[in-house]
Amino acid sequence: MGKSSEEYDFFEGAEYEDAPQSQRSQRHNGPHGSGRRAAKMKLDSPVSKVLRRLALITGLCAVASSAASAVHEIAPYAISFLVKVPGRYIALAAAICIGLTLMFVIGARATMPRNSTHGGVGGGGIVTIVMAGAFLVVGVAVGVLFPQGLILPDNDKAPVENAAQMEQGIEQAAGQCAAGWQGLDTGGIPGVSTVQMCAEPRVAFVSFESESMAAVGKAPIKVKIAELLNQYSDNENAQGDWRLLTGKRWMVFGEADKMTALQQQWGGDIENITASDDAAGTTNSDAGQ
């Protein structure tokens, strides 16, 4: 027996209120509403798929190259095969990869069908772009502010604690000391532990008790060397291209080629020492102050 309109009025639409939400939505949307929504979500383009994959690949390359750029600027000697590569080339490679990734992401979104959703398209590429950009900014900032890098290796290999080993190391680079090493007076410079000189080849070294003492004592020693070169400028033994090699707690004075060879062995910083009258006068006035 069918239900009359009065029965429906009596229940006041309870039949519809008790119906599940899915059934009510189906009545509202019709039998094909959910199917159209699902079809809209699943529509995709083969070209878009390829571009998304390319965006992810180039994005990963961008992250790797930008991270390498940041590490290279912070610790220039951390990655051995990149030591001799200029940092700007690594940063340029990272920027190119970021640009390619951005192009692929835009292309992937543009090639999606009109009836499909664009949500999440190229998400992997976008994430890698953000990461690569952050690494690249850090690398460029450090490179500009700290051109030499923040973390440098300790290349000071001089056996400063042992005078005999210092002599042997110098002889390996400059040649054997024929007449033997002679100890010299420290000249009243505080913190100097050893001053040794060899006449042939003509070379001398100074070692200090500590790095702080070396920071104080290096300047007056440079002044003294300039004075001696100026004093004996007419002596043929003083002629030549002289260099001063300095480390944390030591200094070695000798001819340019020998100091260059010793620098490869011990490290340190090398500088030119001249015997000009003006230089000597300037250093003397600085010492008097």
Side-chain angles (χ1 to χ4, degrees), residues 46-67:
V47 177
S48 180
K49 288 182 179 180
V50 173
L51 292 176
R52 290 201 300 269
R53 292 173 182 173
L54 290 175
L56 182 59
I57 293 172
T58 56
L60 292 175
C61 292
V63 172
S65 55
S66 58

Side-chain angles (χ1 to χ4, degrees), residues 36 120 135 161 245:
R36 285 196 301 269
F135 284 132
E161 299 293 346
L245 182 64

Side-chain angles (χ1 to χ4, degrees), residues 69-180:
S69 175
V71 173
H72 185 272
E73 298 298 338
I74 295 173
Y77 298 91
I79 305 176
S80 58
F81 63 90
L82 293 179
V83 170
K84 297 183 179 180
V85 179
R88 60 182 179 274
Y89 292 158
I90 306 175
L92 178 61
I96 292 174
C97 290
I98 291 175
L100 290 174
T101 305
L102 182 60
M103 292 174 57
F104 288 141
V105 169
I106 295 174
R109 296 178 68 87
T111 53
M112 288 289 289
R114 292 184 178 180
N115 295 330
S116 63
T117 176
H118 290 65
V121 176
I126 295 174
V127 171
T128 55
I129 288 175
V130 174
M131 294 177 60
F135 284 132
L136 186 60
V137 169
V138 171
V140 172
V142 173
V144 172
L145 297 176
F146 305 95
Q148 302 300 322
L150 289 176
I151 303 175
L152 298 177
D154 185 5
N155 61 348
D156 193 333
K157 302 177 181 179
V160 69
E161 299 293 346
N162 191 312
Q165 293 182 5
M166 292 282 288
E167 295 169 0
Q168 294 175 4
I170 294 174
E171 289 181 354
Q172 290 178 1
Q176 185 175 3
C177 184

Side-chain angles (χ1 to χ4, degrees), residues 195-212:
V195 179
Q196 296 287 107
M197 188 197 75
C198 176
E200 183 60 36
R202 194 169 298 277
V203 63
F205 75 88
V206 179
S207 60
F208 298 90
E209 296 176 356
S210 64
E211 293 184 23
S212 59

Side-chain angles (χ1 to χ4, degrees), residues 222-242:
K222 291 180 183 180
V223 172
K224 186 64 175 179
I225 292 173
E227 290 177 351
L228 290 174
L229 289 176
N230 184 70
Q231 180 180 351
Y232 295 97
S233 59
D234 296 334
N235 191 322
E236 62 179 7
N237 291 327
Q239 305 299 321
D241 188 9
W242 301 100

